[in-house]
Amino acid sequence: MKANSFELSASQQDYLEAVFVLSRDTGFARARDISRFLKVSMPSVSAAIRNLDARGLLCYERYGYIRLTPKGVKDGARIAGHHSFLKEFLMTVLGLDEAEAERDACRAEHALGPATLVKLRALSGFLRDGARRSLLSSIRAHLGGKRRPDGIS
């Protein structure tokens, strides 16, 4: 069965991203580490791992190591990259604090399509260009100054 990160549910993407992040240094992850990372139960991890294994995104040994396939590495890297970019964008362009940016990036990474992400990356690059840094500062000042106590701008 062919799978790409956009055919996966938000939950499946979260599990794939978790395995990718946790296995970066060692080449593998363990179910208990995924459970702690995502703050979910071990039975939930087991079900998700079986599903991702059936999709050809990872291989696992019962009670052992979980390793990404080349396709799993590619999709996991893409999901983690979207998350990282969105978090950074929310912090540097919109001026959100890290905790809020982390929460919102996690939600947005599943909701935004590829074309939107491409345009947000282009906007971010445009605003970070040396000649436009004053524009970025003006945007942050404007957004920071207009924030209401209920969080709505």
Side-chain angles (χ1 to χ4, degrees):
M1 169 186 275
K2 276 195 161 185
N4 74 44
S5 61
F6 298 107
E7 293 173 348
L8 298 174
S9 70
S11 175
Q12 291 166 330
Q13 289 181 41
D14 285 341
Y15 281 99
L16 186 59
E17 180 182 13
V19 174
F20 177 79
V21 169
L22 292 169
S23 66
R24 269 192 254 192
D25 292 336
T26 61
F28 64 87
R30 293 184 183 268
R32 70 175 175 259
D33 298 327
I34 297 166
S35 174
R36 286 185 203 124
F37 186 85
L38 294 174
K39 298 179 178 85
V40 296
S41 70
M42 287 294 289
S44 295
V45 172
S46 295
I49 295 307
R50 281 193 303 273
N51 182 289
L52 294 172
D53 179 62
R55 290 172 171 269
L57 296 169
L58 56 79
C59 300
Y60 76 101
E61 303 163 15
R62 192 172 164 98
Y63 306 111
Y65 298 130
I66 300 161
R67 298 179 195 280
L68 293 172
T69 64
K71 175 79 171 136
V73 170
K74 181 181 172 191
D75 286 356
R78 183 173 46 246
I79 294 165
H82 293 334
H83 181 104
S84 177
F85 162 72
L86 288 167
K87 179 180 173 183
E88 184 68 18
F89 180 86
L90 294 171
M91 289 170 47
T92 60
V93 176
L94 300 184
L96 298 182
D97 65 61
E98 186 172 4
E100 188 174 12
E102 176 66 32
R103 277 190 310 275
D104 289 351
C106 195
R107 289 185 209 126
E109 72 184 282
H110 306 300
L112 300 176
T116 303
L117 286 165
V118 166
K119 292 192 184 253
L120 281 174
R121 285 182 189 274
L123 175 61
S124 179
F126 175 82
L127 292 172
R128 290 171 188 242
D129 180 80
R132 295 179 196 92
R133 287 187 192 224
S134 63
L135 176 59
L136 180 56
S137 295
S138 296
I139 290 169
R140 278 193 232 140
H142 177 74
L143 292 174
K146 297 284 187 177
R147 185 148 210 166
R148 296 184 352 198
D150 59 5
I152 299 172
S153 297

